[in-house]
């Protein structure tokens, strides 16, 4: 009963602007990869709270560090007094990101405010007005960030008019219908754009996700980022990589762009950086980060608590070797999902890198027609069976799997078992359509 009342309060008191509900769940506890509701029911969380809880829920050493820090110094505003934890974290992040050039770091609270910085400071640093971004990209919901995004979640708003969106190379759904030489096709398209509406001498930067996650867990061809880097170098354009969702070890490297031989001019971090506390960061060339004094500052940016949590989160990832675990366990998970694909013809494709995995749901494999209705039914049925999973993608038909990096082989086996049961039930029509309609996420 109590659980229901929270859901009713949620309906009554919480702004719709904040809502994207996939399940009628309220959560009171989290430990490791599991969440618990008020009745003590457990849910195996394949979302990590939208790729935030990379270190799992309830890491005690983070709690200890937070308590210690709160007692020592609970707050200091960066408007006047930098804290030791902020500068320590900045130094660590500079050390972690590649690039033999002078770098600086900015701190905020969300992926959105960090990408907003990009939308302001990259044009300011280069003296050029325009930006290039990609269709399907999700960079956030504040004005600058939504302007860079090409995701349907932002379609309700008109962004700043200085961003040109190009198709993202999707090997499963190539924009020209031809999947060969996808990178070349994209670069050709970019050159067309350069010779018409967006000349390179007016282009400040290109922002890209190395794996487009909210866009549908799309892994571009291996040579894509290197080709972007080359074109940026040719024209003096900055290359910015948004690692908010898939960074911090999730793909089997600290940053997902490290699977390619490139060095970005700026890297955007958020979500998992604080192990659950709200913190984002941009690490990049000094000339970008210093281009506007007092140009993107918030009272609580770089506060001692969130920065202390981030320092401890990084320490845990290193100590527990979560990056190589993500790689190995991701491979195991991927193989399990591929076995399920053999069983269920409505799984069009399974793909992923490390612990970023996508399962594309289609009406049939040959036609590849997206099946968003079945996808939301799967999410809902999985929830009923005790498994939390969201879906993403511009067609709303890709199950996205981003569990805590601490997930064990046993937990993956359990997840695959529950997913198998879910798919079997949905295929057999065991679906509560009224509920599915009510909790249909992006739809
Ligand atoms: N960038 C990427 C790649 C994201 O996936 C998201 C959120 N899904 C954001 C930015 C925005 O982050 P936030 O919700 O913290 O503003």
């Amino acid at each position: 009963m109590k659980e229901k009342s929270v859901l009713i309060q949620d309906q009554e008191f919480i702004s719709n602007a904040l809502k994207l509900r996939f399940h009628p769940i309220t959560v009171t506890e989290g430990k490791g990869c599991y969440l618990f509701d008020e009745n003590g029911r457990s849910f195996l969380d394949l979302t990590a709270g939208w790729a935030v809880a990379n270190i799992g829920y309830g890491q005690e050493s983070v709690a200890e560090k937070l308590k210690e820090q709160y007692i020592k110094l609970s707050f200091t505003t960066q408007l006047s007094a930098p804290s030791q934890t902020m500068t320590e974290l900045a130094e660590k992040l500079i050390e972690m990101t590649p690039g033999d050039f002078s770098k600086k770091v900015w701190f905020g609270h969300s992926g959105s405010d960090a990408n907003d910085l990009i939308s302001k400071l990259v044009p300011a640093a280069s003296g050029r007005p325009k930006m290039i971004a990609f269709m399907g990209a999700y960079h956030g919901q504040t004005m600058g960030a939504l302007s860079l995004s090409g995701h349907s979640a932002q379609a309700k708003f008109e962004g700043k008019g200085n961003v040109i969106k190009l198709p993202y190379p999707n090997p499963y759904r190539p924009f020209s219908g031809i999947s060969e030489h996808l990178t070349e096709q994209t670069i050709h398209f970019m050159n067309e754009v350069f010779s018409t509406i967006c000349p390179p001498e007016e282009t400040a930067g290109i922002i890209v996700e190395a794996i487009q996650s909210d866009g549908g867990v799309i892994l571009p061809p291996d040579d894509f980022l290197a080709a972007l880097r080359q074109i940026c170098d040719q024209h003096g354009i900055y290359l910015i990589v948004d690692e908010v969702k898939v960074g911090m070890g999730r793909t089997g490297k600290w940053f997902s762009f490290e699977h390619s031989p490139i060095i970005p001019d700026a890297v955007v971090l958020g979500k998992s950086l604080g192990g659950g506390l709200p913190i984002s960061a941009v690490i990049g060339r000094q000339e970008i980060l210093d281009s506007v004094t007092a140009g993107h500052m918030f009272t609580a940016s770089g506060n001692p608590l969130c920065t202390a949590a981030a320092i401890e989160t990084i320490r845990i990832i290193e100590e527990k070797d979560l990056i190589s675990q993500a790689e190995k366990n991701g491979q195991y998970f991927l193989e399990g999902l591929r076995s399920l694909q053999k069983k269920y013809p409505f799984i069009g494709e399974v793909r992923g890198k490390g612990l970023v995995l996508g399962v594309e749901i289609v009406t049939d494999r040959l036609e590849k027609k997206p099946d968003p209705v079945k996808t939301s039914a799967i999410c809902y049925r999985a929830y009923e069976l005790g498994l939390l999973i969201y879906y993403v993608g511009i067609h709303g038909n890709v199950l996205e799997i981003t569990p805590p990096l601490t997930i064990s082989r046993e937990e993956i086996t359990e997840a695959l078992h529950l997913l198998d049961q879910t798919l079997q039930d949905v295929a057999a029509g065991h679906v509560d359509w009224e509920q599915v309609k009510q909790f249909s996420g992006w739809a």
Side-chain angles (χ1 to χ4, degrees):
M1 286 312 284
K2 224 170 148 208
E3 186 176 339
K4 196 170 170 200
S5 80
V6 175
L7 291 173
I8 289 169
Q9 285 177 322
D10 179 52
Q11 239 172 19
E12 274 182 20
F13 305 139
I14 305 300
S15 159
N16 281 352
L18 258 188
K19 283 183 187 159
L20 180 65
R21 302 280 190 261
F22 291 85
H23 323 109
I25 185 177
T26 61
V27 183
T28 52
E29 272 182 68
K31 194 76 200 159
C33 296
Y34 285 88
L35 291 174
F36 301 86
D37 70 10
E38 280 169 309
N39 305 313
R41 191 171 169 219
S42 67
F43 296 88
L44 179 50
D45 181 18
L46 294 189
T47 76
W50 229 340
V52 168
N54 279 20
I55 56 170
Y57 295 100
Q59 283 281 353
E60 283 178 18
S61 68
V62 177
E64 281 155 20
K65 288 283 170 199
L66 281 171
K67 186 177 173 194
E68 216 175 89
Q69 184 59 48
Y70 192 89
I71 291 166
K72 193 171 164 201
L73 177 66
S74 58
F75 187 77
T76 170
T77 177
Q78 305 313 326
L79 302 185
S80 60
S83 69
Q84 194 196 344
T85 47
M86 178 176 77
T87 52
E88 185 185 330
L89 177 61
E91 193 176 7
K92 179 73 184 166
L93 291 172
I94 285 174
E95 197 185 289
M96 283 161 57
T97 43
D100 193 14
F101 44 76
S102 189
K103 285 179 237 159
K104 283 218 172 164
V105 182
W106 170 93
F107 290 113
H109 314 296
S110 66
S112 299
D113 61 17
N115 283 317
D116 237 79
L117 171 125
I118 296 298
S119 82
K120 282 180 179 173
L121 264 59
V122 171
S126 79
R128 300 174 179 184
K130 292 184 176 158
M131 294 288 293
I132 289 180
F134 289 91
M135 294 171 191
Y138 190 105
H139 296 298
Q141 299 221 331
T142 51
M143 211 54 199
L146 81 84
S147 306
L148 295 171
S149 299
H151 193 279
S152 39
Q154 275 87 7
K156 299 178 186 89
F157 299 96
E158 198 164 325
K160 302 194 296 178
N162 66 331
V163 186
I164 311 296
K165 314 269 167 62
L166 298 182
Y168 192 80
N170 178 349
Y172 186 67
R173 298 183 185 282
F175 58 89
S176 66
I178 301 158
S179 55
E180 278 83 43
H181 312 299
L182 258 190
T183 295
E184 275 170 42
Q185 289 182 41
T186 307
I187 300 304
H188 177 73
F189 207 86
M190 193 173 290
N191 283 326
E192 298 271 294
V193 163
F194 281 156
S195 63
T196 52
I197 51 173
C198 185
E201 60 278 10
E202 289 181 20
T203 307
I206 299 178
I207 182 163
V208 67
E209 293 165 87
I211 294 174
Q212 212 177 57
S213 39
D214 288 352
V217 194
I218 301 166
L219 282 77
D222 288 344
D223 60 352
F224 175 55
L225 286 189
L228 284 188
R229 181 70 269 180
Q230 199 185 357
I231 213 158
C232 285
D233 289 345
Q234 201 179 328
H235 297 291
I237 295 170
Y238 289 121
L239 180 63
I240 293 91
V241 183
D242 181 345
E243 290 278 337
V244 167
K245 196 160 184 188
V246 298
M248 298 303 290
R250 183 162 285 289
T251 64
K253 301 225 182 243
W254 270 119
F255 308 113
S256 62
F257 68 78
E258 291 181 286
H259 296 278
S260 302
I262 65 144
I263 294 174
D265 298 299
V267 178
V268 184
L269 299 179
K271 289 187 186 269
S272 54
L273 176 61
L277 269 84
I279 178 167
S280 58
V282 177
I283 307 109
R285 285 187 183 271
Q286 177 170 4
E287 74 221 40
I288 300 176
L289 276 290
D290 279 346
S291 62
V292 184
T293 301
H296 201 61
M297 54 175 193
F298 308 125
T299 306
S301 283
N303 68 75
L305 291 177
C306 293
T307 46
I311 292 167
E312 182 59 12
T313 298
I314 292 169
R315 197 196 63 74
I316 291 172
I317 294 172
E318 283 172 338
E319 183 194 76
K320 294 185 188 284
D321 200 15
L322 294 182
I323 300 182
S324 58
Q325 271 198 58
E327 189 189 1
K328 283 186 227 130
N329 287 337
Q331 193 54 36
Y332 176 71
F333 213 146
L334 189 70
E335 280 158 23
L337 292 171
R338 293 220 159 111
S339 301
L340 291 180
Q341 187 188 13
K342 291 198 185 101
K343 237 172 126 179
Y344 299 100
F346 52 81
I347 297 182
E349 192 180 55
V350 167
R351 51 185 180 253
K353 195 167 253 164
L355 283 169
V356 185
L357 301 157
V359 179
E360 179 123 9
I361 306 298
V362 294
T363 50
D364 88 74
R365 263 183 215 154
L366 274 183
E367 268 197 35
K368 296 186 184 176
K369 193 166 165 250
D371 196 340
V373 174
K374 188 172 262 137
T375 313
S376 43
I378 292 168
C379 282
Y380 195 82
R381 183 65 187 147
Y383 149 78
E384 289 181 314
L385 295 176
L387 187 70
L388 298 185
I389 189 164
Y390 300 146
Y391 66 86
V392 291
I394 54 171
H395 305 291
N397 74 316
V398 181
L399 300 170
E400 184 191 54
I401 297 174
T402 54
L405 311 188
T406 53
I407 195 166
S408 66
R409 288 279 162 122
E410 293 70 31
E411 286 163 339
I412 294 173
T413 307
E414 168 73 0
L416 287 165
H417 167 73
L418 287 170
L419 201 52
D420 191 6
Q421 184 64 52
T422 300
L423 298 172
Q424 203 174 310
D425 289 354
V426 171
H430 296 314
V431 177
D432 185 342
W433 288 112
E434 271 313 302
Q435 287 291 94
V436 172
K437 236 195 279 169
Q438 215 181 322
F439 294 95
S440 50
W442 300 99

